[in-house]
Amino acid sequence: MGVRDNFSELFDTDWFITFLQNDVRVIKQLPSIGAKLMAPYTLRVPRKCTPKCYEDRVLPVLVKKRAVRLTKFDYRLSNMLDEDLQRLRCRVNYHALKFTDLIQGMGKLLVERMRMKSKHFIALHLRFEPDMLAFSGCYYGGGDRERKELGEIRKRWKNLHASNPDKVRRHGRCPLSPEEVGLMLRALGFGNDTHLYVASGEIYGGEETLAPLRALFPNFHSKETIATKEELATICFISSRMAALDFIVCDDSDVFVTNNNGNMAKILAGRRRYFGHKPTIRPNAKKFNQLLVNKNNMTWEEFASRVRTFQVGFMGEPNELRPGSGEFHENPSSCICQNSELEVKTGGISNSQNQTSGNHEGNKKENRTEEQSIEEEHKWSDMDYLDSRKQNRLKGTKNDSLLLLMETDQAELQEFFLD
């Protein structure tokens, strides 16, 4: 197994190789054949590829070509693997992958500054960038200009079907707008004194699009507002490194809110389960969009009550997902021993301050020391959640921080809601 050059821009390569030395041999560079370096053959595996699939499809190519580069590899791997392979995935995802000291240090600084502002804070992965909206095929009321701008971006993907914005929205596959996310969070009980960290790239529509969210949450923060340009310049403003900083802050937040079901959101949700449970809220976008159609025909109190009802089962409670259900990245149940109080020390992918409890396979290997570009696929899928009637509405979570961040008196929102 080899690691690419840009891997080292994000991750501690030496740590990765050393940590996995008892599992797989990892090399930094492919060997030479004569005077030339061996060039890997690029191969994309199908979705949900099982071990048998790799034996039948990948192994013959590897034997013939001698080196293979697998694209979009890990999240195309089947969920149905033997437990030893699942646990190896956990050792890789949560222990072997560790950001470089430079990124870790800057991420830790951002978290410390958020904690200086408030003991508790929410992190929101907004995902309202132009490419995300173009890929989704959704429409947000921007008229011909929006259709033209996003339509041009959408042409990058040759195999996409013609967009049907109404159908996509009805099926809950459109990212919520910043205003819609803000209304959802306020309806759930997060007050205007809540400190909100927004992880995002370029927002479509810029500050005008963000204005309603800022109005709903005046304590609005991002890496650009809590770090100076000079500080961010130390990581050279490389997009993958900037995303890594957001990852660290989101990972350490008391409540993480995702606005899509992409890979960063999934691995964060799974990571927050793995290292002692912390809630991850996922919008029930299908129900929420149905509610927005009739927004002007109800009071704020009615709207908020309905939001709280249909978000049951989407609030990131400890037993919300059945073991083995959903994507493995989001629900690494094979690696989590139930009702365990065993504490773990690890250097993992993020900084160590939030890695306090749980039972993890990374510490079971003998002779193992204690202690992505982050790529997202634009993919949407419904998760296998427990029947909402079986959920105990906004209760039963082991995380006091969720309730501490929430309030009930929101009468001041009525005017904003009807605007």
Side-chain angles (χ1 to χ4, degrees):
M1 175 182 175
V3 292
R4 295 175 60 191
D5 289 342
N6 58 3
F7 182 93
S8 61
E9 292 182 356
L10 285 178
F11 300 110
D12 185 332
T13 303
D14 292 331
W15 169 268
F16 183 82
I17 293 172
T18 301
F19 193 90
L20 295 175
Q21 63 185 351
N22 293 333
D23 295 299
V24 62
R25 183 187 176 202
V26 182
I27 59 175
K28 292 184 179 181
Q29 183 173 294
L30 291 174
S32 300
I33 300 178
K36 294 182 179 180
L37 285 176
M38 184 183 295
Y41 179 82
T42 299
L43 179 67
R44 178 178 291 196
V45 296
R47 288 185 184 280
K48 310 304 179 188
C49 198
T50 63
K52 185 68 164 58
C53 164
Y54 276 88
E55 290 175 6
D56 293 343
R57 297 193 180 205
V58 179
L59 183 56
V61 180
L62 177 60
V63 171
K64 181 178 180 180
K65 301 291 186 179
R66 304 182 67 182
V68 173
R69 175 178 174 261
L70 301 178
T71 63
K72 301 184 181 296
F73 160 65
D74 193 37
Y75 58 89
R76 288 178 172 263
L77 192 61
S78 171
N79 279 355
M80 306 303 293
L81 300 178
D82 292 341
E83 278 210 351
D84 60 334
L85 292 176
Q86 297 289 47
R87 291 172 178 176
L88 175 58
R89 295 174 82 179
C90 290
R91 290 197 292 275
V92 173
N93 288 344
Y94 308 129
H95 298 277
L97 286 172
K98 184 172 72 170
F99 289 127
T100 63
D101 290 343
L102 179 64
I103 294 173
Q104 289 271 56
M106 179 58 68
K108 182 179 180 181
L109 178 64
L110 297 182
V111 171
E112 289 174 350
R113 289 180 180 172
M114 285 301 301
R115 295 294 178 196
M116 289 172 63
K117 294 178 182 298
S118 177
K119 184 178 180 181
H120 302 286
F121 71 92
I122 301 176
L124 166 63
H125 188 214
L126 191 53
R127 288 307 273 130
F128 207 72
E129 295 89 354
D131 63 336
M132 184 69 201
L133 305 187
F135 186 91
S136 70
C138 300
Y139 174 68
Y140 292 89
D144 291 340
R145 178 179 177 181
E146 177 187 325
R147 293 188 183 93
K148 181 178 179 181
E149 290 175 345
L150 298 185
E152 284 299 313
I153 298 173
R154 190 174 170 83
K155 291 177 182 178
R156 297 176 188 170
W157 297 279
K158 306 297 183 184
N159 298 324
L160 290 182
H161 300 294
S163 62
N164 186 337
D166 291 338
K167 181 180 179 180
V168 176
R169 185 170 290 277
R170 283 198 310 272
H171 290 165
R173 294 176 180 174
C174 289
L176 302 185
S177 71
E179 179 178 3
E180 291 165 351
V181 174
L183 287 173
M184 180 195 72
L185 291 175
R186 293 301 300 272
L188 290 173
F190 296 99
N192 65 358
D193 58 344
T194 300
H195 284 256
L196 179 68
Y197 178 91
V198 176
S200 181
E202 174 196 358
I203 298 297
Y204 183 69
E207 287 301 316
E208 183 179 353
T209 302
L210 282 175
L213 180 60
R214 288 183 182 274
L216 289 163
F217 290 95
N219 297 309
F220 180 105
H221 311 285
S222 67
K223 56 186 172 295
E224 290 82 8
T225 65
I226 60 176
T228 65
K229 287 185 177 180
E230 290 74 20
E231 288 169 332
L232 292 177
T234 62
I235 61 169
C236 305
F237 295 101
I238 297 172
S239 60
S240 58
R241 292 182 179 179
M242 298 288 273
L245 296 181
D246 281 338
F247 187 103
I248 291 172
V249 180
C250 290
D251 187 30
D252 205 87
S253 64
D254 298 278
V255 179
F256 173 55
V257 183
T258 173
N259 193 25
N260 83 322
N261 205 28
N263 294 318
M264 177 172 167
K266 287 177 184 175
I267 200 167
L268 272 166
R271 188 180 166 77
R272 290 165 67 85
R273 284 189 173 93
Y274 182 84
F275 284 112
H277 189 89
K278 289 194 293 184
T280 297
I281 296 175
R282 185 173 75 97
N284 186 344
K286 185 175 182 179
K287 294 287 187 181
F288 190 81
N289 284 312
Q290 292 172 1
L291 188 60
L292 287 175
V293 173
N294 300 310
K295 178 171 80 79
N296 294 329
N297 297 324
M298 65 185 76
T299 65
W300 168 255
E301 288 77 14
E302 291 172 321
F303 177 84
S305 176
R306 294 190 187 184
V307 170
R308 290 192 293 271
T309 297
F310 65 60
Q311 276 297 129
V312 172
F314 291 79
M315 296 296 290
E317 297 173 31
N319 297 318
E320 195 170 82
L321 288 172
R322 295 186 185 94
S325 67
E327 295 287 340
F328 183 81
H329 285 146
E330 186 169 21
N331 186 28
S333 55
S334 303
C335 308
I336 302 174
C337 293
Q338 302 301 315
N339 301 320
S340 173
E341 306 249 340
L342 182 64
E343 291 195 352
V344 173
K345 282 179 66 180
T346 177
I349 197 171
S350 183
N351 55 70
S352 60
Q353 57 189 320
N354 66 334
Q355 300 168 354
T356 55
S357 65
N359 188 7
H360 314 303
E361 291 300 321
N363 285 35
K364 294 185 178 180
K365 278 280 197 180
E366 290 184 10
N367 303 321
R368 184 164 282 121
T369 309
E370 285 190 343
E371 270 288 301
Q372 316 168 277
S373 68
I374 295 176
E375 180 183 9
E376 280 195 63
E377 179 185 19
H378 302 292
K379 177 192 167 201
W380 300 80
S381 62
D382 292 331
M383 303 303 296
D384 183 14
Y385 285 91
L386 292 174
D387 186 333
S388 63
R389 290 171 296 182
K390 297 179 182 177
Q391 298 293 328
N392 195 3
R393 184 169 138 192
L394 298 183
K395 295 179 181 178
T397 177
K398 299 176 183 177
N399 299 281
D400 294 336
S401 57
L402 178 60
L403 298 179
L404 284 169
L405 280 162
M406 299 171 75
E407 64 173 27
T408 56
D409 182 12
Q410 299 190 41
E412 79 279 2
L413 280 167
Q414 184 68 40
E415 183 176 349
F416 186 99
F417 179 67
L418 295 176
D419 191 9

